[in-house]
Every structure is written in C-alpha cells, then in structure tokens.
C-alpha cells in the first residue's frame, strides 16, 4: 500500500484541511484511503480528542489512533530518545494499515518558532513509514517564482534524505487564475515534480459560528441562545450613524455596536424584520439596551438572531476578532465538511492515483457517488424547471446549480420576488439563471392541456384554474418539451386545485400526491412501466445502497413489486452501481411462510423471469442480504446474499420506516426520493429539504433526462 506524507512549507498552510480533503478526493476516485496523524499540532486539553481525529471519524468513518501529544514528543526528544518516538509512530501506523485499504495519507508535523526540534521530524517520519512526500505551500501574495523557490528548497532536503517527493499542493492562492499559476510554478520547480492542486483563498468556505465568537470573547449570551450556530460572513463594526451603516447590515453580518447605540439597534432590527438573515448582534462596553429599546426591538430579536454582550470596548473587540485563530473546532463538523469538499474539488486526484496504481477493488463510495453524479449532471446540461421559484432554499439551490453547471434551472416566480429573496439571503443570482413569471406563459398551455384531458371533460376555464398551480404549470412545460425535468415539493403539500380540475379521488393510493398526480395525468408512465415507484440512494459509510419503494406505493402486488425491483436495478445502473437486488422479507428462503412471504417469493420469481440478466434473489432478511457472514450462513448458494446493494421492501410501511431508521440512527445522507416509471423526469422533495438536498435532486433529474432520452 503506498503511503503519502503531507509536509507543510512554513506555518498556516491549512494542513489538516488539505489532508482530509485529499482523503475525500481519493474516495471520489473509488479508492479506500486511511488517515494517520503522528503528532498534535498544538497542545490538546486533557480528555479532549484532537479535532483531526474527530473529523476523520465523523466524516470518513475512520478510527485512527490519537496523535502523540506535543508534551510527550518534547519529553522524548529532550531525553535524546528520538528512536523511541519513531517506534511509537510506527506502532500506531501499523494499527492504521491493518485493514484492507489502497493508500495511506499521513499528516505531517507543523514546526513552529518555539519548537525548532520539530523541523527534522517529517524526514524521519517519511523514512520510518516508507512514505512519499507531498509538499504543501501557502501562496498568499507570493509570486509564482517565490513559491517555486520554497518548493525547490524543501524538495532538495528530502532528496538529500533519499525520500521521493510525489508532488506539491498550493493553498490560499489570492489570484484569479489558479491554473495559470499552477503551470507557472510547475515550470520553475526542478525535477518535474507535478502540481496536485491549487486552492484559491476562499474565506467564505470556513465561516465562524456565532458560538465560536462568543466562546473566544467569553461573551454573555443575552438572547437567541438556540441560534448560536449562525454563520458569520462579515464582521460589521458600527462606527458611524445608522444612515451610513444600514446598507452594510447584510445577510450573515455580525454587527458590533455599543449597547446604547439605539440608532444602530433600530436599523439592524428593521433589516432583520425585512427578511435579512443577520448572523447576530455583539454589544460592547458591557452595556445592554435600555428596557424601552429592548421592547421595541424584541420582535426582531426573536427572528433567529443571537445577541452577545462583552465587557470590552468596540475597538478591542474588533481587534480581537481580527486575530482569532481560524482553526476549525472539533464540534464544527459542518464547517470541516464544507472545507473538505472544497479541497477535494481542487485536488488533481488522478495525478496522485498515478502513483498509487490500480486499486484492489473500486467501490461506489458516497463521495464517489456524489462526485460522479455531479459530473454526469454537468455533462447532461439539461433544463430543469422549479415551480416553487421564490422559495428561499430553492432559489439558493438553483443559483448553485446554475453557477456550477449542474443544470440550467428555470425558476417559476415573479422576478422581483426572486430578487428580493436573493438580496435578503445574500444569494448571488448567476448569469443565465432563468426566472419566468407564470402570468406571462400560462395562457400558452391552456389549449395543450385541454387537448390532453379532453376525454375527461376538461374545459379551458378549468385548465386556467389548474394552471394557477405552479406545479401543474411546470408539468405542462415538461409535457410540451419546453424543459427537460421538474423538481418540486419543498412547500407544496396539498392538491386541491388539481383535484378540482381533474376530479381525482382524494383517497388516491399514491403518496407525495401534489407532485405525482399532475405527472400521472399529464406526463403518464413510460412505455412498459406498469406503475410509478421511487428509490432513495442511501450513502452508507463504505458504499451506496438503493432502497425502493419507500415513498409511493403502500401495498404493491407481487407483479408490482417485481416491476419496482427492475426499475430500481435500472436506476442503480444509471448511477454507476452494479445492481445486486435483494427482495426483503422477514423470512430467508424457505424458513418462513405466510401471505407476505409468498408475495415476495412470487415477486422474485416474476422479476427473475422478466430480467434474467439481473442478479435478483429473495426472499431475504435484511441481515442475510447485507452482512456477508450472515448471507453465507442463511443463503449459501445465493449470488446476492451478503452482497446486496439494492434493497426492495415488501410494502411502504416497511420501506419508509427502514430508510428513516437507517438515516437517523446511522446518521447517513439519503438522496431522494427519485421517481421511476414516468415518461419524463419528475421528482418530489421533502418539505424539510435542505439546500444540498435540492441540489442533489436537480442533479438526479438531469441525469434521468438523459436516461429517458429527453
């Protein structure tokens, strides 16, 4: 197994973020990396776990040993026991590499002015662990020539110790053209050492929580304690009157002001009440607002805004925050996840993989799945309509998708409403993002809709009434091939308008009806599809599973269950997963009996008969399907048992309960539901969907459009 030691050139290189980001980049490539950190970068309080170890566990489900504390390193080196220190590291590293993995990423030691003895430790570690070195430099405002000189000097030191330098990574580049900068540096680096990535300086990827600021200043929380997780995009020091300051109170701003500056507090309150999500208020000089002012601003302060109070004056507070350590705290997994993804996006994993060689087995790991899904969506370049066009999460997701080329999004909403949401939320609307006022296009879909539903007695008047619903309008746009897919459901919960227009029975057997009903009536099912079903992609720690049906069909028949299995297998294949389909039951093989078991047996037989090219087996209990040792014991002749990655549940009750139990208990990301069986791609969102959930669903929909020939 190849080993790589990441060595910093100087301080403040972001070494932990780079190391973990490199892990993510390797996972995206289907590799199985492990992580090891030999020495803590700074003293860790007794009983606390090093932040890097916490992140390795929570984000990568790895369990590396704790780094040697600096105190222990100082003790051993001071006593002339360097060999004992290296032996400890070798022993720890052997624990890390005991499992089946493809590559090890080792985070090097960061020297500092107080501990000069650490300067030569990286060379010793590289030699002891048989590791190639990857140099990590911080560009800052240095020229390409200056960065290259630093890399050449560091590389020469390792060449003298007969350690190979596999490449270099540049962090915190302040320029505008990272590719050109990388090429310029690489041209000046001796020995043909390749550049494995240049990371632009992006402070917006590592935003402090208000809680971090409160803890750092030892500030009192006088209101909004439950909202201390708000991210601080900007520190705004109110050094002028309200007339000059109000325009600076924007989304994510932490406003610093003395507690007796009533004009600033009033201006901030008005901004908050107008929908601007201010991160928080930080009151200085130990002065809280007067009771009269508190009464006036209290409605604003109840809008998810924490209020802090510090005894320091405004200047001292601002100075302290400007010099706050930017190290990501161990409890801020969200911030580190953002940084890890950012690093992975800018790492040339293929360059590193050339050093690694062929993996033992490529896995569809969660990072690999997400990365490939986004790449497929970009290649698809499809136009996706979002009927809930002025919903804040939807606006942000559309902006992300448009700016990253994931899809060409169309927001159905009043343009002024979308712009207001964007302004209040600090969302930059990218060039090319379409915003269509429904009132300007509704009439053109009346006649086509009447034609589609003429056998049901639909009149132009009823069609216009139905088209007032943006989901119906978006569905008609899809039906007429004006868009390639539709994503909805973040706010729509009922189907009253549709029910009135179509006369659909309220006891319709499908769930998520607001999205599915118009699709069934206007889009209809795909050729050969007997029903519409759904799957969730469950991003388990090691690989991605497909669960179906967990959202649509309450009590499928054996024939329908067979079709769900086939649909789900095809969906898995569309996203790079080689399907091994388990038909789930409370019984494995012939161990149980009853109507429910017989249904699964018959469904398995029908699915195998229809698609002999697919690996489908059942009935299988969940443990027999997913755990190799149990599978070998309970179903030794099965080609699916113990290896299943597509799980078909016998009914909605079982499927929905299982996916939610796994999602919450195992803390895994689930992407979906993705609808299957429609002629054109339509997907439903949970009302609690996060922005990332909507982005993923848009990407899924774009890929489906290609799969369906749209």
């Amino acid at each position: 197994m190849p080993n790589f030691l990441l060595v910093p050139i100087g301080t403040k290189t972001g070494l932990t973020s780079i190391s973990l980001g490199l892990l993510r980049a390797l996972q995206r490539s289907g590799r199985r990396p492990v992580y090891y950190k030999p020495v803590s970068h700074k003293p860790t309080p007794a009983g606390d776990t090093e932040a890097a170890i916490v992140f390795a566990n929570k984000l990568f489900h790895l369990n590396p040993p704790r780094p040697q504390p600096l105190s222990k390193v100082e003790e051993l080196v001071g006593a002339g026991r360097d060999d004992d220190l290296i032996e400890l590291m070798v022993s720890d590293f052997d624990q890390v590499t005991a499992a089946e993995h493809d590559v090890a990423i080792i985070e090097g030691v960061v020297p500092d002015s107080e501990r000069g003895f650490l300067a030569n430790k990286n060379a010793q570690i590289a030699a002891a662990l048989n590791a190639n070195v990857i140099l990590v430099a911080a560009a800052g405002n240095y020229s390409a020539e200056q960065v290259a000189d630093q890399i050449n000097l560091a590389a020469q030191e390792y060449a003298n110790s007969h350690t190979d330098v596999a490449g270099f990574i540049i962090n915190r580049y302040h320029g505008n053209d990272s590719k050109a900068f990388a090429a310029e540096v690489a041209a000046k680096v001796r020995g043909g050492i390749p550049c494995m990535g240049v990371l632009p300086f992006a402070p917006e990827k590592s935003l402090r929580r208000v809680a971090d600021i409160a803890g750092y200043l030892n500030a009192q929380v006088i209101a909004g304690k439950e909202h201390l997780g708000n991210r601080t995009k900007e520190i705004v020091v109110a050094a002028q009157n309200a007339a000059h300051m109000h325009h600076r109170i924007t989304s994510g701003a932490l406003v610093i002001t003395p507690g007796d500056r009533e004009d600033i507090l009033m201006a901030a309150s008005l901004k908050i009440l107008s929908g601007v999500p201010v991160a928080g208020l930080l009151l200085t000089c130990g002065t809280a607002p007067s009771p009269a002012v508190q009464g006036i601003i209290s409605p604003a302060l109840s809008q998810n805004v924490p209020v802090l109070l510090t005894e320091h004056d405004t200047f001292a507070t601002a100075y302290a925050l400007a010099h706050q350590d930017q190290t990501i705290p161990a409890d801020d997994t969200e911030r580190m996840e953002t940084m890890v993804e950012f690093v992975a996006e800018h790492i040339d994993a293929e360059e590193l993989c050339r050093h690694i060689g062929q993996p033992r087995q490529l896995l569809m790991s969660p990072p690999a799945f997400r990365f490939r899904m986004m790449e497929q969506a970009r290649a698809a370049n499809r136009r996706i309509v979002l009927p809930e066009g002025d919903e804040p999460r939807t606006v942000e997701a559309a902006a992300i998708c448009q700016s990253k080329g994931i899809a060409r999004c169309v927001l159905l909403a009043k343009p002024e409403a979308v712009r207001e949401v964007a302004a209040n939320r600090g969302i930059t609307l990218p060039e090319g993002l379409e915003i269509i006022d429904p009132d300007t296009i509704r009439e053109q879909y009346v006649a086509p809709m009447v034609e589609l539903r003429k056998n049901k007695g639909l009149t132009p008047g009823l069609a216009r009434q139905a088209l007032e619903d943006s989901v119906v309008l978006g569905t008609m746009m899809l039906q007429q091939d004006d868009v390639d897919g539709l994503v909805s459901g973040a706010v729509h919960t009922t189907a009253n308008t549709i029910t009135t227009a179509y006369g659909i029975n309220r006891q319709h057997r499908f769930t998520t009806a607001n999205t599915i009903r118009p699709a069934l009536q206007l889009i209809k099912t795909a050729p050969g599809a007997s029903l519409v079903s759904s799957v969730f992609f469950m991003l388990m720690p090691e690989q991605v599973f497909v669960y179906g049906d967990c959202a649509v069909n309450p009590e499928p028949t054996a024939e329908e269950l067979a079709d769900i299995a086939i649909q789900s297998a095809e969906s898995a294949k569309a996203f790079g997963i080689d399907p091994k389909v388990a038909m789930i039951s409370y019984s494995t093989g012939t161990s149980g009996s009853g109507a429910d078991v017989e249904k699964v047996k018959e469904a398995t037989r029908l699915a195998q008969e229809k698609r002999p090219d697919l690996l489908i087996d059942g009935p299988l209990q969940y443990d027999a399907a997913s755990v190799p040792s149990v599978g070998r014991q309970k179903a030794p002749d099965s080609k699916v048992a113990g290896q299943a990655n597509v799980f078909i549940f016998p009914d909605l009750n079982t499927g929905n309960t299982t996916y939610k139990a796994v999602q919450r208990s195992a803390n895994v990301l689930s992407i979906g539901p993705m609808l299957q069986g429609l002629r054109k791609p339509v997907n439903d969102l949970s009302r609690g969907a996060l922005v990332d959930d909507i982005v993923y669903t848009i990407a899924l929909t774009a890929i489906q459009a290609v799969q369906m020939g749209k």
Side-chain angles (χ1 to χ4, degrees), residues 33 70 128 197 254 361 405 554 560 581 591 661 692 697 700 707:
L70 276 174
L254 178 70
Q361 179 186 1
E560 290 172 334
V581 184
S591 66
D692 284 349
T697 304
L700 288 176
Q707 185 187 14

Side-chain angles (χ1 to χ4, degrees), residues 194 329 342 361 398 416 507 522 581 604 619:
F342 176 72
Q361 179 186 1
E416 58 272 20
Q507 301 302 313
L522 303 173
V581 184
T604 303

